[in-house]
Amino acid sequence: MSLLVAFEISMLLTTVCAVLLAGWLLWQGKKQPAMPALAGFAGMMALWCAGHIAILQQWHAPGIMLVLANPLMPMFFLHFAVQFVGFGRQHSRLLRYWPRLKWPLYGLTLLLILLSWYGHGGTVVATAGFAGFFVFTGIGWLNLAYTVLLGVAAHLVLYLGWLRHSGNKRRSIVAMFLAGGWGLLLATSFIFPSLGLAWYPYPMLLLPSYLLLLVYGVVRYQLLAINAFANKALLWLGMLLLVLALMALVSAMLGQFGMQALAAVPASQLWLYSVLLLLLSALCYQPLAALARRLIYPGVQLSDTLLAHWREQLLQADSWPALAQQASELLSVQLRQQVRVQLPQASSADSDSGLRLVCQRDGSGWHYQLSGWHDVTPGYRLQGDVFAALLQSNCRILEQSLKLADAERKRLDQQHLVELGALSAAMAHELRNPLNIISMASASTSADTRQHIQQQLKRADRLIADLLSYAGQLQLHCTEVPLKALVQSVIQQQDWQGVQCELAIDEALNLHADSYRLQQVLVNLLDNALAFCRNQAAATIRLEASGNAAAVILRVHNNGPAIPQSQQADLFQPFVSKRAGGSGLGLAIVRRIASAHGASVRHRDDLGWPVSFELVFPHSGAVVAANLQDTH
């Protein structure tokens, strides 16, 4: 291969790479605002190399014009550098003045290019084995000086950015400086003929590497996808060099084995055939791999998009039952048949029939087991294994999240006790003494006045009791509590004043809880409901409970006015009263007692009632009846 052909191939490769990179960078411009300017830089490099190819093909006039358009290349790079360094910084002076300078600079650049064209700023001469090579003449030297000046300005902007930024952006700037030094070294040989030096421009043969290194240095820290592409590119480049070395060795040894016909084939042709074969293999690898997967694992529909969807959905689960349910739904939809997922902390039916995915933890970590999968196709089994590995990873993540949440809850509880314990004790001492004096003093007043005073004293005593209940440390004494009997005793203590009460709790339903604290919960919820229902037509409060293998669910409904959406976020916050005469601690006490039992409480408006409060007590010796009976 002659040096002339090598130069033409190098320019052609640079042109093709620059065009492809320009298109890709324009597409990435939707995500990175500085990328379109870098795409312009790549496009101008493609035109500059195309100008050299045109000169080699004896198209001197268009070739000279393309080469003299060289100043647009550093102009685009300066534009990119300003955006890359200043983007996202509102107080940047570069961003402040750049909009005023940008278009005048582009205009000046285009004007100089036009002057270079009309002033014959370049010509073609024969030198160093070239029948024609570009050299600067006359105003062309001003064109070159302006090009260098723009390049210096762009790198000065990058230096200022290096001083200001840190992290990946600073690393990108360093990579651009290194690539720029490499490009300067390669471009130096371009002006040899213009300086009267008849030297072959060997460095220009490596010009394709400059553009690739520059763009990769810019985007590798900004766009993670390019790193995966670079990883594959280096792999195929290594394979290409290995094939070339192997073919050189084979061609040298063919004559020793009597293969004279093959030995007579030029080494350049063997290399070309090998390169074409390798490129063909690279193009066919993905389709053939997909075909092989379809043949070996029929029905498999795994993709990066599907795996990302699985991962996103599993990460949304914030408890073991939620994770088990979410995983079961995702895998069942994918396989189009029911798959039950069992986790240690999430209860599940004990049936051994059907497909099951069991994920459990032992001393060495998390492990999974596919049960009942012996009759499924290899494709379904592969999908099950991939999903199980992903679920195993999510189990580790959820385990750590729950540990952190538990530690934070304990810290907040401790802080809560310290802050409010002292406050509640002080208030009980300071308030109850004067209240007792007022009570004794009211004995000498009239009957109506004494009754009014006693009612207000009872209210004050209730407020103090609520504060002590919320602030004090909870000591639970849990036993098996017949839930219906407990609820009935609480109902009998309330002043219903015409409000209808409905009860739907089975006689056989027991709850492992502290009966006194559970009564506090019911009293607070009923007091709250009665306060809003008494003035309603056909006022009704309904208490119902159900149980399963995982939990006992207790609900208190009422048909009072619905709670506005703006108030729902603060329902369980302390000292936020939603009714006249309330302490603002009723629902906060309910939540605290529920949390002490390991239960949860929440407000719901999707159960057919304007207002519903739902408590979910985790399974702990609950006895579940087959059906619920309604009692009015």
Side-chain angles (χ1 to χ4, degrees), residues 438-567:
I438 295 173
S439 178
M440 290 186 292
S442 67
S444 60
T445 62
S446 64
D448 291 341
T449 303
R450 184 169 56 253
Q451 181 181 4
H452 179 70
I453 291 175
Q454 291 298 329
Q455 288 177 348
Q456 295 303 316
L457 289 174
K458 287 180 180 180
R459 179 188 170 198
D461 188 67
R462 176 63 183 276
L463 294 176
I464 294 173
D466 282 349
L467 182 59
L468 288 172
S469 180
Y470 181 73
Q473 186 173 2
L474 291 180
Q475 297 290 340
L476 299 183
H477 302 283
C478 296
T479 58
E480 290 297 323
V481 179
L483 190 55
K484 184 173 183 179
L486 179 69
V487 173
Q488 286 176 330
S489 68
V490 174
I491 289 175
Q492 293 172 1
Q493 301 171 22
Q494 301 299 311
D495 181 11
W496 291 94
Q497 297 183 9
V499 178
Q500 184 181 4
C501 177
E502 298 180 357
L503 186 63
I505 301 177
D506 193 85
E507 295 279 0
L509 184 60
N510 289 0
L511 179 62
H512 189 74
D514 186 314
S515 60
Y516 171 71
R517 296 299 183 181
L518 192 56
Q519 288 183 61
Q520 282 186 279
V521 168
L522 292 170
V523 168
N524 284 348
L525 290 178
L526 289 177
D527 281 350
N528 195 59
L530 285 168
F532 288 99
C533 281
R534 284 196 177 101
N535 297 325
Q536 298 290 316
T540 304
I541 295 176
R542 178 182 175 87
L543 295 96
E544 62 183 30
S546 62
N548 55 41
V552 172
I553 301 174
L554 175 63
R555 296 190 179 106
V556 179
H557 310 285
N558 72 76
N559 62 351
I563 299 175
Q565 188 72 28
S566 60
Q567 296 180 1

Side-chain angles (χ1 to χ4, degrees), residues 579-602:
R579 62 185 174 93
S583 66
L585 287 172
L587 292 179
I589 292 172
V590 169
R591 183 177 65 174
R592 184 152 187 257
I593 294 175
S595 298
H597 283 83
S600 62
V601 59
R602 60 172 173 160

Side-chain angles (χ1 to χ4, degrees), residues 102-412:
K102 177 173 59 177
W103 298 119
L105 278 176
Y106 272 111
L108 178 61
T109 302
L110 292 174
L111 178 61
L112 182 58
I113 291 173
L114 290 174
L115 291 176
S116 300
W117 288 349
Y118 288 103
H120 304 291
T123 187
V124 175
V125 299
T127 179
F130 289 91
F133 197 88
F134 176 86
V135 294
F136 288 105
T137 59
I139 196 174
W141 289 103
L142 179 60
N143 180 293
L144 177 62
Y146 182 74
T147 300
V148 173
L149 181 63
L150 287 177
V152 171
H155 284 79
L156 179 60
V157 169
L158 291 177
Y159 174 71
L160 295 176
W162 180 82
L163 294 176
R164 170 177 296 176
H165 291 289
S166 60
N168 282 340
K169 182 156 285 191
R170 192 172 192 178
R171 296 186 187 98
S172 294
I173 293 173
V174 172
M176 280 187 268
F177 265 104
L178 294 176
W182 176 247
L184 179 62
L185 178 64
L186 300 183
T188 301
S189 59
F190 161 64
I191 62 171
F192 286 168
S194 299
L195 297 175
L197 302 174
W199 297 348
Y200 182 84
Y202 286 102
M204 290 186 70
L205 298 180
L206 300 176
L207 202 57
S209 65
Y210 162 64
L211 187 62
L212 293 174
L213 289 175
L214 176 63
V215 176
Y216 179 58
V218 172
V219 302
R220 73 160 299 185
Y221 297 109
Q222 309 298 320
L223 304 172
L224 297 180
I226 195 65
N227 294 295
F229 171 79
N231 183 58
K232 293 180 180 179
L234 289 176
L235 175 63
W236 285 105
L237 179 61
M239 292 178 63
L240 175 62
L241 295 177
L242 181 62
V243 168
L244 293 178
L246 181 62
M247 292 309 301
L249 178 62
V250 169
S251 63
M253 298 180 62
L254 286 175
Q256 304 296 327
F257 294 99
M259 303 179 183
Q260 300 299 330
L262 288 176
V265 178
S268 60
Q269 293 185 17
L270 289 176
W271 288 345
L272 180 61
Y273 299 152
S274 300
V275 171
L276 291 177
L277 182 62
L278 188 62
L279 292 176
L280 182 63
S281 301
L283 293 175
C284 296
Y285 173 77
Q286 290 293 346
L288 290 176
L291 178 61
R293 283 195 300 269
R294 290 180 178 273
L295 294 176
I296 298 175
Y297 302 109
V300 174
Q301 300 178 2
L302 294 175
S303 64
D304 291 340
T305 302
L306 177 62
L307 294 179
H309 173 69
W310 282 350
R311 187 179 299 108
E312 179 183 358
Q313 293 298 314
L314 292 176
L315 286 174
Q316 292 179 5
D318 57 359
S319 65
W320 295 111
L323 180 60
Q325 180 180 357
Q326 185 71 277
S328 178
E329 292 176 357
L330 289 173
L331 195 53
S332 297
V333 169
Q334 179 65 17
L335 301 184
R336 295 186 294 277
Q337 57 180 301
Q338 184 62 34
V339 181
R340 290 186 297 106
V341 176
Q342 292 181 237
L343 300 177
Q345 295 83 351
S347 300
S348 179
D350 295 330
S351 172
D352 292 331
S353 60
L355 302 182
R356 286 192 304 156
L357 167 56
V358 182
C359 200
Q360 53 190 347
R361 195 184 195 285
D362 58 21
S364 60
W366 285 92
H367 305 280
Y368 70 86
Q369 179 182 0
L370 299 178
S371 177
W373 291 67
H374 49 277
D375 287 334
V376 302
T377 64
Y380 279 12
R381 176 66 188 230
L382 175 64
Q383 293 179 86
D385 280 322
V386 172
F387 185 88
L390 190 60
L391 177 61
Q392 181 177 305
S393 175
N394 274 85
C395 285
R396 287 193 291 266
I397 295 173
L398 180 58
E399 182 182 37
Q400 293 299 321
S401 298
L402 292 178
K403 286 181 179 178
L404 291 174
D406 185 59
E408 179 66 11
R409 181 180 62 82
K410 290 180 179 178
R411 186 189 69 81
L412 292 176

